[in-house]
Structure formats: structure tokens, C-alpha cells
Amino acid sequence: MKTKTSEPVCMGWIGRGTELFLPLFIMIAVALTSSEVCHGVELQRIDVQTLSRNRADWIVLDARPMAVWEKAHIPGAYPFSWETHTRTDVQNIPYRVQEPDILAKALGSLGVSVDTPVAVYGDADTSWGGEGWTCWTLAWLGHQGPIAIVDGGVQAWTGAGFALLTGRESSNRTKVVYLTRPISTMMVSAQGLHQSSGTIQLVDTRSTLEWFRGRIPGAVHIPWEEFFTGRTRQPLDRESVLALFTKHGITLDKPVIYYCSGGVRSAYAWMVHGLAGLPGAFNFEGGFEEWKIVYP
């Protein structure tokens, strides 16, 4: 299957909760050598022409809201949105990713097994960075197959002359069992961030208004919109990411932890960081909603 358009990228992780919190020197060592720590994650780009030619090789997930998917989507694509697969947890923290067994059932019903090649797309208007969240969620579940980001999303698809399908479309694939192997050390906690102050770099990907209303101490503000470019919201390439980091004083000698309200926009930044082939990226999935409950 000749569908790969870039080298696979491996991520380093940090633990959730004090019981999983790594000593700082170990955490930094893991993050800065993450090109050698794969955990089975294979993250890459795929252009719409390549996807169209090799359509049978991929299960395509639409990361936009269900209502948008119903309106028009890439034929054969299944909806898998953060709006559908998040919950409010027992601490009353919203936007938390669903439990692994629930996600496994949802993916298995679409014919996705742990080693299935999955292509994920969003759009320039409504996915709100959800393609990054879907990729992060698959990585957290321990997905072993390739995870590809469709460059330019649905706008690139239609721009290339490919048609969209309107209305609901049910899965015609055989249901399978998705065997999750969650990577617990991908989960960043508010407590972990608090304990690691000074040894990490926090990037707040929320809007300017959200930033001024309250933020995690020590964070640098880089709105998530700065991680893509153009009408189709192409993820920044390596050189552009490095230039963005230089502009905001971000270096690669410490792990970079992205956050937003609840881990969606920050997952997009995490995705772009990884696609650029850079080490030491983490997504604080609980986001500012968790922080302000733990540290009011």
C-alpha cells in the first residue's frame, strides 16, 4: 500500500495524576528523545489525490460535528467527532474523552481495528481542530495502524473536483473488536503540570479573550489558528512551526505542553507539532476546565 506521504512521527508522553507522574529528569529525557519512543503511533499526511486513488486501503473518519457530516461528507467517511465522544466526568470537568471501552465499541462498529489504516479530516470552518483530537484519541487508545491527516480537509477534496455525499450513510463494513491498549502516560494532569513548573513549556491555544479571562501561570499564548495556513487550513510545515516557536520564545530543550479549554484545539497543535517531526509534544486533555477546578 503506497499511501504514505511523510515519515512516521513518534510522540513522548507525561503521566496523569501523581501516581503516574514521572520524575522530572525522566520526563524530560523521554520527551526530548521521543523520536525513539514510538508506542506504535504512526502519524502522517495524505493528500486528497492519494486518498482517492487508494480509497479502499483506508477507513476515513470525519472529525466534524455529526450535523455537518450529515449535510455533506467524503463518500464512505464515518463521523467521529469530539462532540459525540466526550463527556463531563465525576469532577464535573467537561469535554473529557470517553472511556476506552466505549470508544472501542464505537470504532469497532465502523470496522476499525487497532491496526486499521485510518485517514482523518476536518474543514476550515466547523471541526474546530477536531481532526487533531481524533488523531490524539486514536494514539491514546494505542492504535497500531497508520493515522493519516487529510491535507486541506474537505475543502481540498472538493477543490480537487471530488464529490461529496449528502445525508446519512450507515457503515457497510463488518464489525470488529477494537482492542485498546491505552497509553496512560499520554494523560497530562493539572497536578502534574503544577509539580513540573519551570521544567516544561506551556502553550495556551485558546482565543485572546479566553486568555485574558484566565490562564495557567507561566503559559505562552499561541492561538490554535496560528498552526495552520491558507483557505484549506493546511497544517504548518516544519520550518513554519520552528519560526512560530522562535517568534514566541518556545525552544525544544523542554517538553511543550499544549492546552485549551478541553483538549480539542490543543490536540490540533499537538498534531501539527508531531507532523513537523519535532520532539516533546503533549496535549493537556483536561485543559483549562480541569485546571480551574483543581486550582480555583
Side-chain angles (χ1 to χ4, degrees), residues 119-172:
V120 182
Y121 74 92
D123 65 17
D125 303 302
T126 62
S127 58
W128 217 43
E131 52 269 53
W133 180 90
T134 297
C135 292
W136 180 89
T137 297
L138 287 168
W140 168 62
L141 290 175
H143 195 77
Q144 299 297 300
I147 305 171
I149 313 305
V150 181
D151 255 343
V154 70
Q155 277 84 357
W157 182 267
T158 57
F162 300 127
L164 297 177
L165 182 67
T166 300
R168 282 184 172 268
E169 183 181 9
S170 60
S171 171
N172 59 2

Side-chain angles (χ1 to χ4, degrees), residues 217-293:
V220 173
H221 185 222
I222 310 179
W224 79 284
E225 293 94 341
E226 294 194 33
F227 287 90
F228 57 77
T229 185
R231 184 184 63 83
T232 60
R233 292 190 176 183
Q234 294 279 346
L236 296 184
D237 58 23
R238 180 185 179 92
E239 291 72 22
S240 298
V241 173
L242 290 173
L244 182 65
F245 284 176
T246 298
K247 175 183 175 182
H248 291 278
I250 301 296
T251 60
L252 294 176
D253 59 343
K254 297 178 182 178
V256 180
I257 300 182
Y258 299 98
Y259 77 91
C260 60
S261 295
V264 179
R265 289 168 288 179
S266 55
Y268 186 92
W270 167 90
M271 177 192 77
V272 174
H273 186 122
L275 287 173
L278 302 175
F282 302 88
N283 178 37
F284 179 19
E285 179 262 346
F288 192 67
E289 292 294 325
E290 178 182 339
W291 180 270
K292 70 184 184 181
I293 288 177

Side-chain angles (χ1 to χ4, degrees), residues 28-211:
I28 294 171
V30 170
L32 296 180
T33 59
S34 60
S35 60
E36 299 175 2
V37 182
C38 242
H39 297 298
V41 178
E42 188 179 341
L43 187 63
Q44 61 188 254
R45 298 174 186 256
I46 187 170
D47 60 67
V48 294
Q49 291 83 5
T50 301
L51 178 61
S52 179
R53 288 195 305 268
N54 299 278
R55 185 64 186 82
D57 295 332
W58 298 87
I59 287 185
V60 179
L61 298 182
D62 187 322
R64 303 173 301 161
M66 173 73 76
V68 181
W69 171 83
E70 288 181 354
K71 190 173 181 179
H73 57 268
I74 294 175
Y78 305 129
F80 197 87
S81 167
W82 67 271
E83 290 188 355
T84 302
H85 296 291
T86 57
R87 60 190 167 86
T88 298
D89 71 9
V90 294
Q91 291 181 281
N92 206 33
I93 301 170
Y95 316 123
R96 303 312 302 270
V97 64
Q98 288 177 335
E99 296 293 342
D101 58 338
I102 296 175
L103 294 169
K105 184 176 180 180
L107 289 166
S109 70
L110 302 177
V112 180
S113 66
V114 73
D115 56 359
T116 298
V118 175
V120 182
Y121 74 92
D123 65 17
D125 303 302
T126 62
S127 58
W128 217 43
E131 52 269 53
W133 180 90
T134 297
C135 292
W136 180 89
T137 297
L138 287 168
W140 168 62
L141 290 175
H143 195 77
Q144 299 297 300
I147 305 171
I149 313 305
V150 181
D151 255 343
V154 70
Q155 277 84 357
W157 182 267
T158 57
F162 300 127
L164 297 177
L165 182 67
T166 300
R168 282 184 172 268
E169 183 181 9
S170 60
S171 171
N172 59 2
R173 298 185 67 94
T174 302
K175 293 182 180 180
V176 298
V177 175
Y178 191 101
L179 297 174
T180 64
R181 286 172 276 185
I183 303 172
S184 61
T185 50
M186 282 185 64
M187 284 291 189
V188 180
S189 70
Q191 293 92 339
L193 291 181
H194 188 265
Q195 293 180 40
S196 60
S197 177
T199 66
I200 59 175
Q201 298 171 103
L202 274 174
V203 176
D204 187 323
T205 65
R206 300 174 302 156
S207 68
T208 300
L209 180 60
E210 290 171 296
W211 164 261

